[in-house]
Amino acid sequence: MQRTRLYATHVAMGARMVDFAGWELPVQYPSGPTAEHHAVRNAAGLFDIDHMGQFELRGPDAEAFLQLVQVYDVAAMQPYDAHYSLLTYADGTIVDDIFLYRLPERWLVVVNAANRAKDLAWLQAHLNGFQVTLDDISDTTYMLALQGPKAEAILQRLTPADLASMPARTARETTLDGVPVLLGRTGYTGEDGFEIYAPDAQAEHLWQRILEAGADDGLLACGLAARDSLRFEACLPLYGHEIDAATNPLEARLGWVIDWGHDFIGREALLKVRLEEPQRLLIGFEMLDRAVPRQGYPIAVDGEVVGHVTTGMKSPTLDKFLGLGYVPRQHSKLGTELEILVRGTPRRARVVRRPFYKPRYKG
Amino acid sequence: MADYQLDSNAKYARTHEWVRIEDGLAVVGISDAAQDMLSDVVYVELPQEGDEVEAGQEVAVVESVKAAEDVIAPVSGKVVAVNRALEDKPELVNEQPYQAWFFKLEPTAALEEELAQLMSPEEYDRFVDEESH
């Protein structure tokens, strides 16, 4: 089991630690996941996300290489632009979802902890013929996320960069309390906020300084449970739940990420899916009967199992029992009534619009 | 010793339910240690009044942000009351675990024998302490 540099700090703060993708990480602090969730929606939350992997790409062919291995048109990115994207297999299914940063002399690719080794091997397997150096810098780059409507005000106290002039999905190289960092106005909660890339040795210092800077604003340290409920409400997919190696981006409703105008691995297969239309689709649903839908529960229509829940919970912001899941396309229309088999008992649900919570990114 | 609150008037099951005898009825809830392990409670599924239940039987479900856990009858009896307040305010289970009862049972003749199988607050405290290591 791997531990982040902040492990002892989390334990000292009273965090409950759990195994996540081979990492021992805080699932919650004493305030509890519901309070942490509301802190991010209404004030701010600080997350230790160092388990995520970071790869650096350099070299004259880095852009051409990235065009091949992921679905977004990176040629359209300016230096300091950031964008969400997908790595896809030749059959169109998903290797991982990633975040890309274009920087003046290099690219940064941020990947899921559970997929780090797999993604690295996948990228390396396609390097042949490209003048690119690919480095896994995960162990020397620490990653924190500060998310919520007060994130900008809190971080502004620690940095000379003018954060107000920084739109969503852009980055700056600056300092934070004197520590050189890369700041991305990105995140995974549906709120405005920042992801912070800092030298590993400065993690503790930055963690404490950010918590101090936001102490009067309602800033809370947040764990994995709040991270999951936040991304769920905003309908941001989680690898292993909504997306995986058996799922394609179109059925996962991630077609908007794909730029069809460049050649990439999986393009032919996905063009075919687009032409024939996906046979199943990811839907959002609301429980009509009171019950908690959970991952793996079967979804039925007229007593026949047609799909399964990928994520479900009581939404803290909307105060409703909501879920995401796959159903055949003919059952995916808004308003369609479904049954969720909750520990074997059918409970009524209805297809509703996604996302459940409209993200509030800064334009 | 564990840091959890105990109800000195209750007896405890290994599955973390407490039971108190009040006005001849067996009142059942889950312990402070149990609610803490569960984390934030978001939903409670209660039995029907009139249900006949056996000690050891799953009678209710408590769902937290983490998982669904069965609530098991510590003694046998007939359900004569359920705590409807938990349907609208499941967080009461976290806030006041020894007030937030789930159901009341009219016990059977086996009550004394069944209570003798359960743990005292001190025994339960040691049990939680050992279980958490």
Side-chain angles (χ1 to χ4, degrees), chain A residues 197-216:
Chain A
Y197 303 81
D200 190 61
Q202 300 296 324
E204 173 77 27
H205 176 74
L206 288 179
W207 176 265
Q208 298 297 356
R209 293 293 289 125
I210 295 168
L211 284 180
E212 284 163 27
D216 295 336

Side-chain angles (χ1 to χ4, degrees), chain A residues 312-356:
Chain A
M313 65 181 71
K314 184 177 187 184
S315 153
T317 308
L318 290 96
D319 197 26
K320 289 176 178 172
F321 296 99
L322 301 172
L324 293 168
Y326 281 101
V327 296
R329 187 154 46 92
Q330 67 267 29
H331 300 305
S332 65
K333 286 191 185 60
L334 292 181
T336 301
E337 289 220 9
L338 306 168
E339 294 137 27
I340 310 300
L341 303 187
V342 177
R343 296 181 297 280
T345 306
R347 304 285 190 188
R348 291 184 311 132
R350 182 175 55 202
V351 179
V352 297
R353 197 174 294 282
R354 304 162 53 257
F356 307 124

Side-chain angles (χ1 to χ4, degrees), chain A residues 227-301:
Chain A
R227 190 167 168 79
D228 192 44
S229 56
L230 289 157
R231 71 93 195 161
F232 166 74
E233 288 181 342
C235 290
L236 302 169
L238 180 59
Y239 200 90
H241 293 247
E242 285 71 37
I243 53 176
D244 57 27
T247 312
N248 71 60
L250 296 167
E251 61 192 5
R253 308 222 196 215
L254 292 170
W256 62 271
V257 188
I258 301 173
D259 280 305
W260 299 99
H262 70 110
D263 196 24
F264 60 87
I265 297 165
R267 182 172 177 271
E268 291 305 310
L270 288 169
L271 277 171
K272 186 165 180 289
V273 174
R274 187 169 72 155
L275 189 69
E276 294 172 358
E277 299 198 310
Q279 291 309 296
R280 59 173 195 164
L281 283 170
L282 186 69
I283 52 135
F285 63 85
E286 176 184 345
M287 298 305 298
L288 300 175
D289 290 337
R290 285 168 69 108
V292 187
R294 294 194 185 272
Q295 183 186 19
Y297 284 2
I299 302 176
V301 174

Side-chain angles (χ1 to χ4, degrees), chain A residues 161-198:
Chain A
D162 176 19
L163 300 182
S165 68
M166 193 175 164
R169 293 184 301 282
T170 63
R172 293 275 189 285
E173 285 176 296
T174 181
T175 57
L176 210 55
D177 201 45
V179 176
V181 295
L182 175 70
L183 287 186
R185 196 150 200 164
T186 55
Y188 203 60
T189 58
E191 297 303 322
D192 179 29
F194 298 85
E195 289 176 314
I196 300 156
Y197 303 81

Side-chain angles (χ1 to χ4, degrees), chain A residues 118-141:
Chain A
K118 177 185 81 175
D119 292 356
L120 188 65
W122 175 255
L123 294 175
Q124 282 167 339
H126 294 92
L127 276 176
N128 206 2
F130 291 99
Q131 281 191 59
V132 174
T133 53
L134 168 61
D135 292 308
D136 182 346
I137 58 165
S138 312
D139 294 337
T140 52
T141 305

Side-chain angles (χ1 to χ4, degrees), chain B residues 28-40:
Chain B
V28 177
I30 67 166
S31 74
D32 186 34
Q35 69 77 21
D36 186 68
M37 284 182 265
L38 275 170
S39 182
D40 295 350

